[in-house]
Amino acid sequence: MKIILASGNKGKIREIAAYCDSHEVLPYTDIVDKFEITEDGATFQENALLKARAVYEKIDGKISGPFVVLSDDSGITVPALGDIPGIYSARFAGEGATDKENLYKLIDTLKAHHLHKTPAYYTAAMAIVTPRGAFTMHGWMHGDVIDEARGEKGFGYDPMFIPEGYDQTLGELDHEVKAQLSHRSKALALAKTVMETL
């Protein structure tokens, strides 16, 4: 069975492909041209479903053999800042912002609130769309955000996030450690269980 990812984010594609290595994993852009998907849901789950359904509709009939569309909507939430950036994590510094711009905007926001270190959590909502229907699942990773970037590993907000039980940021920890802890890995474990039943 092919897993078609409703994402163009290279970091997400790399993580999901590594986790689902027993399946052929392709970004949807290998099948159809990239198109704009409006993410106007109020939750990570709604946005994941919007993306998966939009890609499924575009590629249905254009791919041979069994397939599912897998989508992820994820982000980081900082309760001390009123739960921002939340569902706006990918565009926290504005539409089209880079990972680095989003990272430094959140660092600057922490500094503006005199927060050196404060609790935060990552959420990953996964959606699977198949001919048999749609399925969703979640994963979370808790820890703290700090007001500086440390390390070059990972992507997004990883250089400022210290997972529970660790002293290093995800930007400093080895990929294998992050894979065991990550919100995306937890949601993917549930997604794999669903896909095995299809």
Side-chain angles (χ1 to χ4, degrees), residues 100-112:
K100 192 167 265 192
E101 290 167 336
N102 289 325
L103 169 71
Y104 281 100
K105 175 158 186 196
L106 187 53
I107 287 172
D108 290 344
T109 304
L110 287 177
K111 288 178 179 178

Side-chain angles (χ1 to χ4, degrees), residues 43-60:
T43 65
F44 291 113
Q45 180 184 32
E46 287 177 17
N47 284 330
L49 277 167
L50 284 168
K51 289 188 275 191
R53 286 180 172 138
V55 168
Y56 186 88
E57 288 173 14
K58 284 274 190 191
I59 68 170
D60 193 23

Side-chain angles (χ1 to χ4, degrees), residues 2-4 24 26 31 59-68:
K2 291 184 176 85
I3 299 173
I4 312 304
E24 184 179 358
L26 304 166
I31 301 158
I59 68 170
D60 193 23
K62 295 183 174 142
I63 187 167
S64 62
F67 74 94
V68 300

